[in-house]
Amino acid sequence: MESFAKLKRRGTDLLGSLPQNLPSMPAMPSMPAMPQLPHLQRGRGSSAPTMKGTWQHVSIPALPRTAHSLDVVAGNAYIFGGAAAEGADPVDNKMHVVALPSSGAPADYYAVDARPSPNQPRPSAAAETKHPAPIAEDDDESDDDDDSSEDEEEEEEEEKAQLKDPLTDVPLASTPPAGEKGKAKSGSSSKQEKEDLSSATVPRARVGHASAVIGSRIFVFGGRGASSSEPLDEGGRVWVFETKTNTWTFLDPWKGSPVPPPRSGSITAVATDRPRDFAIKPLRRRTSSWKEWAEGDSAAVGIPQRPVAGGVAERAADEEDAGFGTFVVHGGYLTTSTATDDDDDESGSDDSQGSYANDVWAFDVRSRTWKQLPRAPGPARPGAALALARGRLYRFGGAGALDVLALALDEFDDGASRGPEEVSVTARRDAWQSLSAPAPTTASGAAAEWPAPRGAASLELVLGGGGREYLVLMLGQNQDEEEEENASFLGDVWTFQVPPEGMSAASFRDAVLQAVGRPTGEGTWTRVAAGPFDDDDALDARGPAPRAAAASAPLASLEPNAVLVFGGRNDAGAGSLGDGWIFRLE
């Protein structure tokens, strides 16, 4: 019988040979990497976390602009209006287009002259019927011949006047006194100007207007024209630039719709594509027999086995032709004639010539109606900025508080549509909510991180990693400075974390953090440490100069975490800036 030592050695050898004798197990599939969340780091000498970002200079010809608008559609930046210096006349009414750099391709620039769309609606009835043509009481051929000959003579005289040298019409005598010149223009000048605005087919050159994007179209409202401090009174008209055709059209409010007062300067606007679901709700048509019910529309589109070619294409229509979405505007400067009592009471300005507005208006594109939303809290202030995120309207600027208004959709069932019909965007509550800087909570007594009060800043929504969304606040002018000459301009960047998208990595992460009692960062401001996009580029390493009144727009689908900034001013009394920058949140 073998000894116990030999048996033990045999067992050890047998166990050691098992891994070589057994077949190899199949390899487990590798799990996909989780989306990377924005990087947080703690600054030196501070317990407050910071985020990282980069600045990239956009190489295009200089376009000095202030009080202009900027929108990004399908990788192209559209710059409209503005002046070369603060308080100056508008530059032009061209649309300046910048093809943004992408996939290694550099930026490109070109300008588009203002021209009306071939599908533009007719001017307002008031402008058309102001001077109606005489109606003939009989149909005599002699009268027709006389009218046609008179028309031909008038056309010939107009052509001669156009071809005539304009220098021959310049008088050599001295100009009339200012009083006589004013008398000649008084009485009918404002009336004639309003008629010209209502009959215009393209927008005038303007400054201090607001714009936003819905789908592939850019919506423009407000502003002032050349050689005038008065806002353009266009009767609530909203101009629309079609980026597909590079043409202009307009939307006049429906008869009976309330209209916001004319305004210019410090107007801010946002837009949403809601309400939008109209085409998926066809009307129910009553049938007179079972056969008609069973056949349906097979006579027009056919059946799956024998479809009728071209039937669906014939009925197809671009949803932007009918219109969808909501265009929201806020603030601006009102003249004495257009300012309401509420604006005068809540305005922080003592200027007898006018006051700043504190109202919020929403324009429903499909119904062409204006609707007033709850007024913003506090006194009216210049330089406020708006942003829209997750059904909430955010306002920052003019003071240190962040104001929030929850939005919702009005719905009703008309009995004919399949499901409820979306009507318009409205406020979920009757008042705004304000978030102010928190009190000091640390042992040393240091206050929590919060942006300095500022005006004329940029506030845009960007998408971070894992479905996280942030409001990016950048640049602006310090509101503590009362005198324009001593005003300081800001160049810092901040982010405000908004609620994440449902069923995203960020929402699951927040749920885990809440379960273990840790803060998620939602509803807090975080300072951004911005560096160069390209370390070898001298302009990127320098970064943008501190400025205010710069136009900005998110790059959206091109780069969800990026914002384009263009123009602005950074020195009182000096000219405007004409450079462009892309900020990316890492």
Side-chain angles (χ1 to χ4, degrees):
M1 187 173 180
E2 295 182 0
S3 62
F4 177 76
K6 290 183 178 180
L7 290 175
K8 182 178 180 181
R9 189 183 308 113
R10 273 187 165 186
T12 302
D13 296 339
L14 182 61
L15 292 175
S17 64
L18 285 178
Q20 289 80 15
N21 298 331
L22 291 177
S24 59
M25 297 293 293
M28 295 294 294
S30 59
M31 298 297 293
M34 293 295 292
Q36 185 179 3
L37 295 177
H39 178 72
L40 288 175
Q41 69 174 11
R42 296 188 180 276
R44 297 179 180 177
S46 175
S47 60
T50 60
M51 301 183 68
K52 284 187 175 181
T54 60
W55 284 107
Q56 180 188 10
H57 179 260
V58 181
S59 299
I60 59 172
L63 292 172
R65 292 288 187 278
T66 185
H68 56 294
S69 63
L70 172 67
D71 300 279
V72 175
V73 179
N76 293 329
Y78 295 85
I79 304 169
F80 179 70
E86 187 178 6
D89 289 342
V91 177
D92 53 39
N93 67 339
K94 295 181 180 180
M95 183 64 77
H96 300 266
V97 186
V98 178
L100 298 175
S102 178
S103 302
D108 193 12
Y109 162 78
Y110 59 94
V112 178
D113 292 331
R115 56 190 181 92
S117 170
N119 300 324
Q120 189 178 65
R122 299 175 62 189
S124 60
E128 289 185 352
T129 60
K130 194 66 181 178
H131 301 286
I135 301 176
E137 297 182 358
D138 52 19
D139 297 328
D140 295 339
E141 296 181 357
S142 58
D143 295 342
D144 294 341
D145 295 339
D146 295 340
D147 295 340
S148 60
S149 60
E150 292 178 0
D151 294 340
E152 292 176 358
E153 292 177 359
E154 292 179 358
E155 291 179 359
E156 291 178 358
E157 292 178 358
E158 291 179 358
E159 292 178 359
K160 291 179 181 179
Q162 293 176 358
L163 296 175
K164 192 176 182 181
D165 186 2
L167 294 178
T168 58
D169 293 334
V170 177
L172 299 178
S174 59
T175 57
E180 297 179 4
K181 188 175 181 180
K183 291 179 181 178
K185 291 185 177 181
S186 62
S188 61
S189 60
S190 60
K191 184 177 180 181
Q192 183 66 34
E193 182 179 0
K194 191 169 184 179
E195 292 179 7
D196 295 341
L197 290 175
S198 61
S199 59
T201 57
V202 295
R204 282 189 177 184
R206 62 191 64 204
V207 298
H209 55 281
S211 68
V213 175
I214 302 177
S216 64
R217 305 194 294 177
I218 300 174
F219 293 76
V220 177
F221 173 78
R224 67 169 179 86
S227 303
S228 174
S229 60
E230 295 286 330
L232 296 172
D233 188 359
E234 298 175 312
R237 171 178 294 182
V238 176
W239 290 98
V240 183
F241 183 77
E242 306 276 358
T243 60
K244 296 179 181 178
T245 59
N246 288 337
T247 57
W248 285 96
T249 184
F250 58 85
L251 298 176
D252 284 332
W254 193 257
K255 185 181 299 182
S257 168
V259 174
R263 62 196 66 203
S264 67
S266 300
I267 311 177
T268 180
V270 293
T272 174
D273 61 354
R274 305 296 300 275
R276 182 169 186 168
D277 299 331
F278 301 103
I280 62 175
K281 301 169 183 175
L283 295 177
R284 297 172 181 170
R285 184 172 59 88
R286 291 185 176 273
T287 56
S288 58
S289 64
W290 282 102
K291 180 181 179 182
E292 186 180 355
W293 175 85
E295 291 179 349
D297 58 353
S298 60
V301 300
I303 59 177
Q305 293 79 7
R306 287 183 297 176
V308 177
V312 177
E314 185 179 356
R315 298 183 179 185
D318 189 351
E319 62 177 346
E320 290 190 348
D321 293 340
F324 63 88
T326 305
F327 179 58
V328 182
V329 298
H330 165 64
Y333 184 78
L334 308 178
T335 60
T336 307
S337 58
T338 59
T340 62
D341 295 338
D342 294 337
D343 294 322
D344 294 336
D345 295 340
E346 300 184 14
S347 173
S349 174
D350 297 331
D351 189 0
S352 60
Q353 301 299 323
S355 61
Y356 288 101
N358 206 27
D359 51 356
V360 183
W361 290 82
F363 181 77
D364 185 78
V365 176
R366 188 177 181 88
S367 63
R368 291 186 298 157
T369 55
W370 285 99
K371 179 179 182 179
Q372 188 168 7
L373 301 180
R375 306 176 68 86
R381 61 190 67 158
L386 284 185
L388 189 62
R390 299 289 168 203
R392 293 179 177 90
L393 190 63
Y394 294 88
R395 183 186 75 151
F396 189 91
L402 178 67
D403 305 316
V404 185
L405 178 65
L407 302 178
L409 284 173
D410 275 338
E411 297 181 352
F412 76 97
D413 189 356
D414 58 3
S417 302
R418 296 178 182 175
E421 177 79 9
E422 296 181 356
V423 182
S424 63
V425 171
T426 185
R428 188 176 300 174
R429 300 181 181 90
D430 295 335
W432 292 63
Q433 294 179 339
S434 298
L435 305 176
S436 301
T441 56
T442 61
S444 60
E449 289 283 304
W450 195 270
R454 67 191 67 197
S458 298
L459 185 67
E460 303 293 346
L461 178 70
V462 300
L463 180 64
R468 185 83 68 190
E469 289 184 331
Y470 297 91
L471 296 178
V472 177
L473 174 69
M474 61 183 69
L475 312 176
Q477 184 175 352
N478 198 325
Q479 289 288 358
D480 294 336
E481 305 288 348
E482 295 182 358
E483 297 183 3
E484 184 84 14
E485 293 77 6
N486 300 325
S488 59
F489 295 90
L490 304 173
D492 53 349
V493 182
W494 295 77
T495 61
F496 182 85
Q497 183 177 322
V498 299
E501 182 182 0
M503 302 302 293
S504 63
S507 64
F508 285 114
R509 181 176 183 273
D510 287 352
V512 173
L513 292 176
Q514 292 176 355
V516 299
R518 294 182 57 186
T520 62
E522 181 179 323
T524 58
W525 286 102
T526 304
R527 186 186 296 272
V528 178
F533 179 77
D534 185 359
D535 295 333
D536 298 331
D537 192 302
L539 293 176
D540 289 4
R542 187 189 65 186
R547 66 190 66 195
S552 62
L555 299 193
S557 59
L558 182 65
E559 291 186 65
N561 65 326
V563 176
L564 176 64
V565 179
F566 190 88
R569 54 181 174 83
N570 66 349
D571 192 6
S576 303
L577 301 172
D579 53 349
W581 296 84
I582 296 179
F583 172 80
R584 294 178 176 89
L585 183 65
E586 294 184 347

